[in-house]
Amino acid sequence: MTETQLVAGEAALSICESLLLALNDQKIMTEAQVLGVLEDAAAAHENAIKDASDPEAHRQISDLIRKISSKGNSVRDL
């Protein structure tokens, strides 16, 4: 993965985190709904592992999403 791709991924993750937090702060989504979104995302990557050309990437993505959801918020400390 190139440096540009890594930076793009970190930017996307930060934007998504901010959006989920804002949706919760504005009472558009409950905390349970936000956690459900994260659970769905993690599960999608776990389900992709068996058929993926790069299963390790999907495992790492799922692990990261689960770590984010268990910490409450902020990817800055990962």
Side-chain angles (χ1 to χ4, degrees):
M1 189 172 283
T2 68
E3 182 67 22
T4 301
Q5 290 170 317
L6 289 172
V7 169
E10 289 182 34
L13 185 56
S14 181
I15 291 165
C16 289
E17 177 192 18
S18 294
L19 285 170
L20 289 172
L21 292 172
L23 289 168
N24 180 252
D25 289 346
Q26 295 297 311
K27 311 256 185 274
I28 296 168
M29 291 179 75
T30 65
E31 184 175 344
Q33 290 170 318
V34 170
L35 291 173
V37 167
L38 295 172
E39 171 60 32
D40 288 349
H45 284 282
E46 288 167 359
N47 291 334
I49 289 172
K50 65 181 180 327
D51 297 322
S53 61
D54 187 359
E56 181 60 18
H58 286 283
R59 188 196 58 75
Q60 288 179 11
I61 293 166
S62 176
D63 289 350
L64 177 58
I65 293 168
R66 293 200 182 282
K67 186 174 182 180
I68 291 167
S69 65
S70 71
K71 290 183 79 167
N73 69 28
S74 191
V75 296
R76 292 181 273 288
D77 297 328
L78 296 179

